[in-house]
Every structure is written in structure tokens, then in C-alpha cells.
Amino acid sequence: MTIVKQELKRGRLAFLIWTGAIGFMLAVCVFLYPEMKGEMEEISDTFSSMGSFTAAFGMDKLNFGTLLGYYAIECGNVLGLGGAMFAALTAAGMLCKEEKEKTAEFLLTHPVSRRRIITEKLCGLLFQVVALNLVIYLLVIGSMTAIGEDIPWKELNLLHLAYFLLQVELSGICFGISAFLRKGSIGIGLGIAGIMYLLNIIANIAESVEFLKNITPFGYCDGAAIVTDGTLDGGKIAVGMVFCIISIAAAYGNYEKKDIQ
């Protein structure tokens, strides 16, 4: 597991920054809720009459005056977009960083197969995604406990599970792409996360392109739908995991025969 440890060491600064930033923003949002609770009903009424903007973020289906509705909208966007960017950025550079940093020759001279290199790098990636979600989940639970609110366990767990699966899917897709790259990866990672987020907003606004929810992982992370239905959309998740598995398989197929410079 030497490569796994090395990947965790190389990525620890980015991990700490992203985890700290997302966790801090979520904790601040939760701690602000008691101060804003009395005004939430009026805010909810205002948002419900803003047409397409309301539909884009699902604010027409949730009560902004409750902790669950507030968390699903405010904190959901922070965790969704922030987590997606972290996962995409980390994964997009995982298999091409050796060529970019000119360390490929050192790595490939070790008595390990390319398949093992891919596997350990993938394990290192997934470990970081799991750790980020675990730390953030504990921070959120601690913050909700501190403000004295009843924790909506079922809905909260479903929301965090959905965002975790989103990050896993984007990790797999960007990991696959990284096997075909040689240098640049930051723009690709951010671009994929941003495009997926934008596709979901478009699908929320226009019914004619609602099928886009089957393409973007944000489609099964709709806080309004999760809270209203009390469950996750298994069909959309299954499609997303298929994309993830195909991308990882492509990474193995290409990296094992790639001319690494």
C-alpha cells in the first residue's frame, strides 16, 4: 500500500483545505439558522414566487422555515458543489500527475505492475472522498446538536448519502479521463463539476430537458425531491454508477498500454 500512502501524503494539503472550507461553511450555515429562524417564513414566501429561479434550486417544494428545508437548500448547494469540485479535481490529476511532475520514471522502475498502480491510486482517491464526507457529516451533526435543534436523521442521512454517491461518480469519471491526459487536469476537473451542476439547474427550470437529470449526478441529489419523497432515486443512481464503472474500466484499459513519458 505504499502508493496509497504516497497519494494521501501528496494530497493532504488539498484535502485539509477543501474539508476545512466546506466544513466551516456548513457549520456557519447551521449556526446561523437560530438567528434567521423567525424570518424564514417570509423568506420562504418570497422565494416561492420567484418563478424559474425558485424552481432551479427546488425552493418551491421546501419550507425554508424548517431546519431540514433550510439545510437542504443552503447547505446542500455548498456540500454538493464543493464536494463535487474536490472529487473532480483530485481524480482528474490522479493518473497524469506523474508525467506532469516528471516522476513517472521513478514510479515505473519499481517492481509493481501498472494495474497495481492504478488500483492503489484509485484506493487513495476513494479514501480521501470517504474521509471528507465522514468529517463533514460529523461536523454537521455536532453543529445541529449545539444549536439544540431536533436532527432529521433519515432525511439528513439520505442527503449526505446522495452527495457522497455524487462524489464517487465524478471521481470515477474524472479518474478515467486522467488516464488519457498527460499534463493539464485542473481546468478539466472544475469544468466537469461545473457543467454537471449547470445541467441540473437547466433541467429544473425547463421541463423539456428534464432528461438531463439522468446524465448529471446532481439529478439524484435534489434536496427538494429527497426530502419530499423520503428516498433516493435508484434509477438515476444506477445510471451514474454505470458511468463511473465504465470510466474506471477505461482507465485500466488505457493506462496499462499508455506510453508514459
Side-chain angles (χ1 to χ4, degrees):
M1 301 297 284
T2 303
I3 298 175
V4 174
K5 295 178 181 178
Q6 181 65 19
E7 288 301 326
L8 296 180
K9 182 178 179 180
R10 292 167 76 176
R12 63 186 176 187
L13 179 59
F15 171 80
L16 291 173
I17 291 174
W18 279 97
T19 303
I22 297 172
F24 175 76
M25 292 176 69
L26 290 178
V28 169
C29 283
V30 173
F31 279 115
L32 283 176
Y33 176 73
E35 301 296 327
M36 303 174 66
K37 188 175 182 180
E39 304 173 7
M40 285 301 174
E41 292 294 341
E42 294 182 9
I43 294 175
S44 184
D45 292 338
T46 300
F47 280 147
S48 65
S49 61
M50 296 178 67
S52 297
F53 178 82
T54 302
F57 297 96
M59 292 184 289
D60 55 335
K61 301 176 183 177
L62 292 174
N63 182 0
F64 217 53
T66 64
L67 176 61
L68 183 58
Y70 171 81
Y71 185 85
I73 295 173
E74 291 289 338
C75 300
N77 284 312
V78 172
L79 178 56
L81 193 54
M85 286 183 173
F86 168 76
L89 281 172
T90 304
M94 193 60 68
L95 293 177
C96 64
K97 67 174 66 174
E98 309 301 340
E99 291 182 87
K100 180 180 179 180
E101 298 174 5
K102 306 300 182 183
T103 57
E105 291 184 4
F106 173 77
L107 176 64
L108 296 177
T109 54
H110 285 67
V112 293
S113 65
R114 290 197 182 188
R115 180 174 291 269
R116 181 178 171 183
I117 291 173
I118 301 170
T119 301
E120 291 204 26
K121 281 179 172 286
L122 181 60
C123 289
L125 169 63
L126 294 178
F127 184 90
Q128 292 180 70
V129 172
V130 171
L132 177 136
N133 281 272
L134 181 59
V135 171
I136 288 175
Y137 179 77
L138 293 176
L139 280 173
V140 169
I141 295 300
S143 300
M144 289 185 175
T145 302
I147 64 174
E149 292 285 337
D150 293 331
I151 301 175
W153 288 106
K154 178 183 177 180
E155 293 82 0
L156 184 68
N157 289 336
L158 286 174
L159 284 169
H160 279 264
L161 175 59
Y163 287 118
F164 170 69
L165 293 175
L166 173 148
Q167 293 167 34
V168 170
E169 180 181 343
L170 285 180
S171 294
I173 292 173
C174 291
F175 186 80
I177 293 173
S178 72
F180 295 85
L181 301 177
R182 291 197 178 278
K183 292 185 179 180
S185 62
I186 294 179
I188 292 177
L190 287 176
I192 290 176
I195 289 172
M196 293 297 184
Y197 183 74
L198 181 60
L199 287 178
N200 185 60
I201 292 179
I202 294 173
N204 283 339
I205 296 174
E207 293 184 3
S208 60
V209 292
E210 194 172 356
F211 68 89
L212 291 175
K213 283 184 171 289
N214 295 314
I215 299 175
T216 170
F218 286 94
Y220 55 76
C221 295
D222 188 337
I226 293 173
V227 171
T228 302
D229 300 337
T231 185
L232 299 181
D233 191 322
K236 291 186 177 70
I237 292 175
V239 172
M241 292 304 106
V242 168
F243 286 146
C244 177
I245 292 171
I246 290 175
S247 299
I248 293 174
Y252 275 93
N254 186 73
Y255 195 80
E256 287 187 334
K257 61 183 181 181
K258 183 180 180 181
D259 179 20
I260 300 177
Q261 301 175 0

